[in-house]
Amino acid sequence: MARTRAEDFDDKRRAILRSAAAVFAEQGMEKASMARIAAQSGVSKSLLYHYYPSKAELIFSIIHTHLEELDAAIAAADDPELPPEARLRALVRAVIETYRDAADQHKVQLNAGPVLGEAEKAEILAVERRIVRRFSAVLAAVNPALGEGDGRNLMPVTMSLFGMMNWIDQWFREGGPVSRADYADLATTLILDGVRAVR
């Protein structure tokens, strides 16, 4: 008889993903074992395989879940009625806040390429592109010249902003002199002051 889904299925799944991300970030994709992940998660190996039949499926779920949650947070923060400058500031704040405690997921995302199949890579890329498009649209609203003609500067400006956001875990320390909100405002200001000059 097939197992029925437990009422706390999603909570357990998320807890496993967090623990697995920590193991993968520490040990790497190849060295990390399902046995170690099960122990870190406080579940049996058989239960882990019930949720995730393979290491590749687990890695994909870590990345895809993280990106979907990021996309949802950005969508919730986005208000098209705001002036584009304020709209961009809200989006950057949403990203920086969602990145709290996400360093392990970032490491998994950066190193998972060889492990994932083409279909999984395509799903992840689709979410990434959706997120990037939202930011590009707002940046083009800040400076319409970015999207005019061949629009060749729009993507470099967009990805420069993501570079400022994506690597925050490399230097940011909670409780330091700069808060997440402070840095979100700083990054937004740097982009806004610079993007207006781009032609």
Side-chain angles (χ1 to χ4, degrees):
M1 178 182 293
R3 290 187 181 183
T4 57
R5 174 179 278 206
E7 290 183 3
D8 59 351
F9 180 93
D10 287 335
D11 290 339
K12 284 183 178 178
R13 184 181 66 83
R14 289 179 187 281
I16 289 171
L17 293 180
R18 284 193 298 271
S19 296
V23 174
F24 284 127
E26 179 185 352
Q27 298 186 355
M29 305 297 157
E30 297 300 324
K31 291 184 179 179
S33 68
M34 294 295 271
R36 177 72 183 88
I37 291 167
Q40 180 87 1
S41 304
V43 300
S44 67
K45 220 170 134 183
S46 62
L47 182 60
L48 177 60
Y49 277 108
H50 170 64
Y51 284 94
Y52 299 101
S54 71
K55 188 191 290 189
E57 289 184 52
L58 180 54
I59 291 169
F60 168 75
S61 191
I62 290 170
I63 300 168
H64 193 259
T65 299
H66 168 63
L67 289 174
E68 287 285 0
E69 290 176 350
L70 177 61
D71 188 36
I74 293 169
D78 192 13
D79 182 358
E81 299 301 317
L82 289 174
E85 294 82 1
R87 189 179 172 194
L88 181 65
R89 198 172 298 277
L91 297 187
V92 174
R93 285 176 179 169
V95 170
I96 297 300
E97 182 56 37
T98 304
Y99 280 176
R100 188 187 297 272
D101 301 322
D104 293 336
Q105 288 86 341
H106 284 166
K107 288 180 183 177
V108 174
Q109 185 177 357
L110 286 171
N111 297 304
V115 180
L116 299 176
E118 293 306 312
E120 288 79 13
K121 289 178 184 177
E123 281 194 59
I124 288 169
L125 183 59
V127 184
E128 290 173 335
R129 284 178 172 170
R130 190 163 66 235
I131 292 169
V132 169
R133 280 197 301 268
R134 187 185 296 271
F135 274 85
S136 290
V138 177
L139 286 166
V142 171
N143 180 358
L146 287 174
E148 294 174 352
D150 59 9
R152 62 184 176 182
N153 289 325
L154 182 56
M155 186 55 65
V157 169
T158 304
M159 298 317 294
S160 293
L161 175 55
F162 273 96
M164 295 169 69
M165 296 187 294
N166 286 349
W167 295 101
I168 185 173
D169 59 282
Q170 297 298 308
W171 61 267
F172 184 83
R173 295 294 175 266
E174 300 290 352
V178 177
S179 69
R180 286 182 176 274
D182 291 337
Y183 180 67
D185 286 342
L186 174 62
T188 305
T189 299
L190 288 171
I191 287 292
L192 287 174
D193 287 352
V195 79
R196 292 188 183 97
V198 178
R199 294 291 184 268

